[in-house]
Amino acid sequence: MDTFEIKGQRLVALSMLGCLLFNYPFLALFNDPGILFGIPVLYVYIFAAWGLLILLIAMVVEARE
Amino acid sequence: MLKGWLIVVTSFAYLGLLFAIAYHADRRAEAGRSVIASPYIYSLSLGVYATAWTFYGSVGRAASDGVGFLPIYLGPTLMIALWWIVIRKIIRISRQNRITSLADFIASRYGKSALLGGLVTIIAVVGIIPYISLQLKAVSTSFTILLQYPEIIMPAKLAAVPVLQDTAFWVALILAAFTIVFGTRHLDASEHHQGMVAAIAFESLVKLLAFLAVGIFVTFGIYNGFADVFARAAVEPTLRALMSPLDGVAGSYASWGWLTVLSMLAIMFLPRQFQVAVIENVDEKHLNKAIWLFPLYMLAINIFVLPIAFGGMLRFPGGSVDADTFVLTLPMAEKHELLALLVFIGGLSAATGMVIVETIALSTMVCNDLVMPVLLRLRRLRLTEREDLTGLLLTIRRSAIWSVLLLGYMYFRLAGEAYALVSIGLISFAAVAQFAPVVLGGIFWRGGTRSGALAGLSLGFLVWFYTLLLPAFARSGWLPIGWLEHGPFGYELLRPLALFGLAGLDQITHAMLWSMIANAGAYVAVSLWASPSAEEHRQASLFVDVFKRAGEAGGARFWRGTAAAPDLHGLLSRFLGESGADAIFRDYARARGLRWPDDNLVADAGFVHYVETKLAGAIGASSSRIMVASVVKEEALTIDEVRQIVDEASQVVAYSHQLEQKSIELEAATAELRAANLRLQELDRLKDDFVSTVSHELRTPLTSIRSFSEILREDPDVDLEQRKKFLDIITKETERLTRLINQILDLSKLESGTTEWRETSLDLKEVIESTITATSQLFKDKDVRLQAELPGQLPRLVGDLDRITQVIFNLLSNAVKFCEAGKGEVVVSLAREGNFLRVDVTDNGPGISLQDQTIIFDKFRQAGESPSSKQRGTGLGLHISGRIVEHLGGRIWVRSRPGAGATFSFTLPLVRKGAHARAA
């Protein structure tokens, strides 16, 4: 299998990870009235997970193999 | 002070700047130095996804649902990761088939069906019109609010104005004129709008910067950072509830999930997204950067949405100001005129970007897939015979742009006021999501058929119309509102917001659920039961197997017919003008090493196909097919013939696979032959070496024998003592000569394979002991100690007794030869190693250098070879031993360190495979 296909499969996996992170039950776990660093926990979670996902996608795409 | 004229002048200056950018980019493109050939421009142009809806509406939605606006931007991140596979394929297909729009793509996939193209166009136009009206609403609302500065008055509270005094009307007209200048100045066979893409990328930057500016101003200017905004908001119970809103009213997980799915589909199937992502893509590689840059853009433009929403609600308590306008009203309330103007321009850029690309995409669809196919079919108009159609095409497109924008305005006047920005946008999202089954199914599933696509699209569209658009009309007062609550004619089961009694879902979730079930279900079911036509077969194969096909000529094989080159030229010039047709003919001729018009071009299947795809670039696949059919006498292929061609193709693939296999085998054989040849040459050289070495080795003892014999014969005065010494030498040299000749004979037998092997069962321990006895005199002569470490019981093995004795003898005599007299010590040991017996002969002589260890088993090579070497052997002993051991299935080797003695070891197998065969 060549790099191109492997990257494609990794991206599919990341997309599925994203679907998991941004859905029930993960969202429900963080749907909490608490405050973290002065920001509501849910907001911190969504933006952090989003940023991380983009970082992972960028790493997969830009990796030289 | 913000005067009306200042706002208008700034807006026009901004539009002028956009036009300048587009003009410059078009010029550069014509000069062959494209400005949009960059992954960054491509990623930014995808940012056309963020419209006025994002710019103003996200904050509005955040004010009511907290994080509820986010699925619209998370979905694209999840989808774009799949673009590596999905969009890449669509781009490749579109390039090869010269697809000009989403409608063209779907029509082309299902047998170039004009009916399907028309249906897609209608769905797209009807579905997108609310979305366009939303942009008009945003621009006109923001303009009206800005105009009231320094007062903050909501437009809803202003009296209704007649059309001619309505800002939205003028906005629609200006945008239409602007789009026409932008997108339909001329007709291009490639249907690229490089200038437009450059301008859109610029707009994406402007709106991002404007939004970030107001976000930073609110968060850090009005308040002291994120923590401050949220801390103040947390005091208010209503605001605090928005911080964990997901169990709340509109925030159930199901609707969150459906919004994500909706936006995942919208990012691909909104006509403007298809336009920038697929049609305007100039290089597939740009996708790689866009896959992570575009989500990053989405993240950036959303970071400040929540602080602005909370800031706005704190600043304007009690809902006096519409949350959709916070982005603009917050800077206004703080008397920040410049920032307010920047925000207005940002909103304008978000709206214009969307309107320009969307209407260009829609007008292409309307022209190529709705109007032209109808006009061409009307024989009365005799269009297929008309001389020049470029003007007609441009007129259709321009009218389409006017119509779309005016329809958008009408929707805004009649229905727009009843809804918030976000809800209007979602209605459009749900409409374009109906394209998902036929497009995705179409590129991965060969079995999807035209009837299936028609059934799926129509049903999905109907359900969408019934559950989303009609209720929107009802709410705006077009239809009796009771119809919503009690169902048509009192049929409760058919209530549009709770179809078949499915209640408790929000409107979008409900509509998506039913429309997707109807759409995908009908598409699959009808496809499975309706048999496809030949044309559909061929197109399905072109689309699904796009990566397996070599190039553009793929489609030509499916065509049969006759045509005349001048007819084709005439056809092209009618749509693309004389020069456009000339250019296409020249390119085609050049690619085949001909010169046009000097050489005659044969209008074969390949050429006709080439012309058809070129023409499709201008007028769409279905229209192009009709036009080309009008000048060629086509013999339609039957379904069986297409099947046959497809079968042939697969056979060819199979053959070529076999050929590949064969050629790999052939290569391997060639490599083996080459190796064998090298080996032969090497053997030949070795043989020559051998002969010369043998003659040399034989001559040395012969010379000494001869010279001593001559001395004895010639000189009678030699005394007795001397004679005895000479005769000793002669005897010794004769013995050496005998030994040498014996060994050479041995070796030649071994090498030629004529050695007779007498294989018997033997006990290796006994063999060693008897060899030790035979060599004991050698050890005594030189006063070297010999020690044997032989274990008691070991299995017997099968081998040639004499040969094995020869090997052991050789090793022992070598050991004693290299030991120093009086101090030497030799150890012989025997041990079992798995299925082998191992014999070690260790001496404490001078050892063998590493270099010598590698050659010591070669013919005529001895350790420490030098002219002065005292140790004279034949140089064949070890070589012969090696041969014997190898023949018996064992291994021989040496380990040694210079100065620390040497250990010669060999192994013999207890059980030998193929012993019999070798013995023969």
Side-chain angles (χ1 to χ4, degrees):
Chain A
M1 202 164 31
D2 57 7
T3 325
F4 180 82
E5 273 181 55
I6 288 181
K7 282 188 179 181
Q9 296 187 2
R10 285 181 186 159
L11 289 170
V12 172
L14 283 180
S15 176
M16 286 159 79
L17 172 71
C19 290
L20 197 69
L21 291 179
F22 299 129
N23 259 309
Y24 189 85
F26 276 84
L27 277 185
L29 293 180
F30 291 92
N31 188 30
D32 181 285
I35 298 279
L36 191 68
F37 314 121
I39 302 168
V41 173
L42 183 65
Y43 303 175
V44 175
Y45 166 70
I46 292 179
F47 280 97
W50 194 1
L52 183 73
L53 195 64
I54 294 173
L55 182 72
L56 289 175
I57 290 174
M59 279 165 64
V60 168
V61 172
E62 299 292 325
R64 285 175 207 286
E65 280 172 51
Chain B
M1 287 294 283
L2 282 170
K3 295 281 187 203
W5 63 266
L6 179 65
I7 304 171
V8 172
V9 166
T10 315
S11 307
F12 275 97
Y14 175 71
L15 292 181
L17 177 62
L18 274 192
F19 188 73
I21 290 173
Y23 188 77
H24 172 68
D26 270 340
R27 274 290 107 84
R28 288 277 299 261
E30 277 159 26
R33 292 174 302 134
S34 172
V35 284
I36 69 164
S38 142
Y40 300 99
I41 301 287
Y42 180 68
S43 308
L44 278 175
S45 73
L46 288 177
V48 73
Y49 182 72
T51 64
W53 175 23
T54 305
F55 199 82
Y56 294 113
S58 284
V59 170
R61 176 115 182 170
S64 67
D65 293 349
V67 288
F69 69 101
L70 275 173
I72 304 297
Y73 307 97
L74 290 172
T77 305
L78 303 181
M79 190 69 207
I80 205 168
L82 305 179
W83 276 21
W84 185 272
I85 297 166
V86 181
I87 277 279
R88 195 182 297 271
K89 191 165 188 180
I90 294 182
I91 290 176
R92 185 73 66 88
I93 292 170
S94 301
R95 185 148 310 148
Q96 283 188 10
N97 295 279
R98 302 205 169 251
I99 299 296
T100 56
S101 68
L102 185 57
D104 198 20
F105 186 88
I106 295 175
S108 188
R109 160 64 180 81
Y110 297 99
K112 302 193 177 172
S113 155
L115 183 60
L116 197 53
L119 177 64
V120 171
T121 305
I122 290 171
I123 296 177
V125 171
V126 175
I128 293 303
I129 279 181
Y131 205 172
I132 291 191
S133 85
L134 184 157
Q135 311 300 322
L136 300 179
K137 176 178 171 168
V139 174
S140 85
T141 308
S142 57
F143 178 75
T144 316
I145 291 175
L146 199 58
L147 214 52
Q148 309 301 318
Y149 184 83
E151 301 292 312
I152 294 174
I153 302 170
M154 289 296 102
K157 291 170 186 154
L158 299 169
V161 286
V163 171
L164 283 182
Q165 287 171 31
D166 188 351
T167 357
F169 178 68
W170 294 106
V171 170
L173 289 190
I174 291 166
L175 283 184
F178 191 54
T179 310
I180 284 168
V181 180
F182 242 86
T184 58
R185 276 182 301 143
H186 53 84
L187 204 60
D188 179 19
S190 71
E191 207 60 59
H192 282 307
H193 305 84
Q194 298 220 0
M196 178 195 82
V197 173
I200 293 307
F202 175 72
E203 297 218 275
S204 289
L205 270 184
V206 170
K207 66 196 175 201
L208 179 65
L209 291 179
F211 199 85
L212 288 179
V214 71
I216 290 169
F217 171 72
V218 171
T219 314
F220 298 100
I222 304 182
Y223 300 93
N224 292 319
F226 289 102
D228 184 41
V229 183
F230 291 122
R232 290 193 199 199
V235 181
E236 302 272 333
T238 48
L239 299 192
R240 188 165 178 93
L242 290 180
M243 294 179 185
S244 51
L246 288 179
D247 302 317
V249 203
S252 77
Y253 295 105
S255 87
W256 174 286
W258 271 109
L259 280 185
T260 314
V261 172
L262 208 51
S263 60
M264 286 174 78
L265 301 179
I267 190 68
M268 295 186 73
F269 301 123
L270 279 170
R272 68 172 190 282
Q273 295 301 137
F274 195 87
Q275 183 79 24
V276 290
V278 177
I279 311 291
E280 305 290 352
N281 175 285
V282 289
D283 185 352
E284 272 177 42
K285 288 196 197 76
H286 292 171
L287 208 52
N288 302 4
K289 279 261 179 319
I291 278 181
W292 60 273
L293 273 179
F294 176 63
L296 203 59
Y297 182 92
M298 294 278 102
L299 179 70
I301 210 166
N302 276 298
I303 280 185
F304 288 106
V305 169
L306 285 160
I308 295 175
F310 283 115
M313 285 185 287
L314 289 169
R315 185 73 175 71
F316 310 109
S320 59
V321 172
D322 187 353
D324 276 345
T325 67
F326 282 168
V327 181
L328 184 63
T329 45
L330 275 173
M332 281 170 70
E334 296 296 322
K335 305 284 179 280
H336 222 298
E337 296 172 24
L338 264 184
L339 187 59
L341 194 60
L342 177 65
V343 166
F344 174 73
I345 293 297
L348 184 68
S349 75
T352 48
M354 182 277 186
V355 170
I356 290 169
V357 187
E358 203 85 87
T359 48
I360 285 178
L362 286 180
S363 76
T364 312
M365 280 194 211
V366 169
C367 171
N368 290 358
D369 294 280
L370 194 65
V371 180
M372 280 311 280
V374 173
L375 290 185
L376 291 175
R377 266 167 217 268
L378 291 177
R379 288 176 193 276
R380 218 152 26 87
L381 294 179
R382 307 179 77 83
L383 272 189
T384 50
E385 291 158 30
R386 239 170 74 181
E387 274 308 308
D388 183 2
L389 290 171
T390 42
L392 177 66
L393 285 177
L394 285 178
T395 312
I396 297 174
R397 289 188 188 193
R398 287 171 185 161
S399 322
I401 290 173
W402 285 113
S403 321
V404 166
L405 274 163
L406 288 177
L407 279 172
Y409 174 68
M410 269 171 59
Y411 189 89
F412 163 71
R413 279 293 281 200
L414 299 169
E417 298 298 328
Y419 278 90
L421 294 181
V422 168
S423 314
I424 301 178
L426 285 179
I427 292 177
S428 295
F429 271 32
V432 296
Q434 304 305 324
F435 299 137
V438 293
V439 174
L440 295 179
I443 60 171
F444 291 113
W445 184 38
R446 213 185 301 259
T449 67
R450 175 174 161 273
S451 350
L454 278 172
L457 272 180
S458 326
L459 271 182
F461 179 61
L462 277 180
V463 175
W464 169 83
F465 193 81
Y466 188 71
T467 55
L468 276 178
L469 200 62
L470 284 186
F473 288 165
R475 290 206 177 131
S476 328
W478 286 13
L479 292 168
I481 197 83
W483 176 81
L484 275 189
E485 282 154 21
H486 308 295
F489 315 109
Y491 288 111
E492 292 270 330
L493 220 50
L494 292 180
R495 274 183 302 162
L497 297 182
L499 200 58
F500 307 122
L502 185 70
L505 295 173
D506 71 291
Q507 204 182 342
I508 292 291
T509 310
H510 171 261
M512 278 307 289
L513 200 61
W514 282 124
S515 65
M516 277 296 138
I517 290 173
N519 185 338
Y523 170 62
V524 172
V526 175
S527 289
L528 289 178
W529 268 274
S531 52
S533 70
E535 181 83 16
E536 286 172 70
H537 241 289
R538 153 201 160 163
Q539 288 304 104
S541 149
L542 278 180
F543 274 52
V544 176
D545 297 334
V546 65
F547 287 113
K548 292 182 193 146
R549 292 190 174 272
E552 288 192 42
R557 293 169 22 78
F558 295 100
W559 186 86
R560 229 174 32 172
T562 49
D567 289 347
L568 292 172
H569 187 267
L571 180 64
L572 282 174
S573 44
R574 265 146 67 196
F575 287 97
L576 303 169
E578 193 83 19
S579 58
D582 285 357
I584 288 172
F585 267 55
R586 256 198 308 278
D587 287 349
Y588 182 83
R590 198 178 304 127
R592 272 146 201 81
L594 298 170
R595 282 162 53 88
W596 187 86
D598 302 343
D599 292 315
N600 264 334
L601 291 179
V602 182
D604 56 5
F607 190 30
V608 171
H609 180 73
Y610 182 80
V611 168
E612 192 186 319
T613 42
K614 284 287 176 190
L615 194 55
I619 61 174
S622 353
S623 307
S624 168
R625 180 136 205 86
I626 298 169
M627 289 311 300
V628 169
S630 72
V631 298
V632 300
K633 288 199 190 71
E634 189 169 5
E635 301 161 38
L637 293 180
T638 64
I639 180 94
D640 284 337
E641 282 170 315
V642 172
R643 281 226 180 92
Q644 203 185 334
I645 290 170
V646 173
D647 283 352
E648 271 171 27
S650 22
Q651 271 176 18
V652 169
V653 171
Y655 281 144
S656 90
H657 190 69
Q658 280 174 7
L659 267 179
E660 204 177 320
Q661 204 72 27
K662 283 261 161 60
S663 96
I664 290 171
E665 280 165 19
L666 208 62
E667 253 169 48
T670 314
E672 265 172 42
L673 273 177
R674 197 174 294 128
N677 191 31
L678 277 179
R679 177 99 191 104
L680 271 178
Q681 284 174 358
E682 170 76 6
L683 282 177
D684 196 42
R685 194 180 59 76
L686 281 178
K687 196 198 74 191
D688 289 348
D689 285 356
F690 182 66
V691 169
S692 76
T693 322
V694 165
S695 0
H696 173 78
E697 294 290 328
L698 289 176
R699 194 176 296 135
T700 320
L702 271 177
T703 314
S704 92
I705 291 170
R706 189 174 153 201
S707 49
F708 283 112
S709 315
E710 272 172 4
I711 294 172
L712 287 175
R713 199 185 64 192
E714 305 285 322
D715 190 356
D717 297 337
V718 182
D719 60 28
L720 200 63
E721 193 73 6
Q722 202 77 3
R723 272 171 199 269
K724 203 164 177 291
K725 203 169 144 195
F726 286 175
L727 282 173
D728 273 350
I729 293 173
I730 291 173
T731 315
K732 259 196 187 146
E733 288 297 311
T734 318
E735 278 168 5
R736 188 172 154 203
L737 201 56
T738 315
R739 209 164 59 233
L740 189 63
I741 289 168
N742 278 340
Q743 286 185 338
I744 290 170
L745 283 176
D746 251 6
L747 183 65
S748 73
K749 273 187 190 169
L750 275 170
E751 287 194 338
S752 64
T754 54
T755 314
E756 278 181 37
W757 297 86
R758 282 185 300 273
E759 310 229 334
T760 50
S761 165
L762 50 87
D763 182 349
L764 197 53
K765 185 182 165 196
E766 281 173 18
V767 179
I768 294 173
E769 279 167 346
S770 71
T771 317
I772 287 175
T773 319
T775 51
S776 56
Q777 192 57 41
L778 284 174
F779 284 85
K780 269 185 203 145
D781 284 354
K782 218 175 168 187
D783 194 14
V784 171
R785 259 168 33 112
L786 174 63
Q787 197 186 330
E789 292 169 1
L790 306 174
Q793 276 298 316
L794 280 173
R796 299 169 74 83
L797 52 77
V798 174
D800 185 314
L801 176 67
D802 290 347
R803 296 290 168 186
I804 296 175
T805 310
Q806 192 181 348
V807 173
I808 299 168
F809 183 89
N810 201 311
L811 294 184
L812 285 175
S813 59
N814 267 351
V816 73
K817 201 188 299 172
F818 286 93
C819 279
E820 207 180 321
K823 290 180 189 166
E825 252 188 40
V826 173
V827 181
V828 186
S829 65
L830 174 65
R832 182 175 176 167
E833 259 189 11
N835 284 332
F836 290 86
L837 291 182
R838 172 173 163 177
V839 179
D840 292 310
V841 177
T842 309
D843 64 62
N844 64 346
I848 304 157
S849 74
L850 205 63
Q851 198 186 349
D852 285 342
Q853 286 179 26
T854 58
I855 58 156
I856 201 165
F857 292 101
D858 292 349
K859 266 176 261 182
F860 298 112
R861 304 297 284 270
Q862 304 185 51
E865 242 173 22
S866 68
S868 64
S869 177
K870 296 182 292 175
Q871 318 290 2
R872 295 300 298 165
T874 57
L876 284 174
L878 280 174
H879 182 69
I880 291 173
S881 302
R883 286 276 180 159
I884 294 169
V885 171
E886 267 171 36
H887 180 91
L888 293 172
R891 202 165 71 80
I892 189 164
W893 71 95
V894 65
R895 264 179 307 135
S896 172
R897 259 202 342 235
T903 303
F904 283 85
S905 312
F906 70 91
T907 57
L908 289 173
L910 287 167
V911 185
R912 266 201 298 143
K913 283 178 196 156
H916 195 72
R918 221 173 281 158

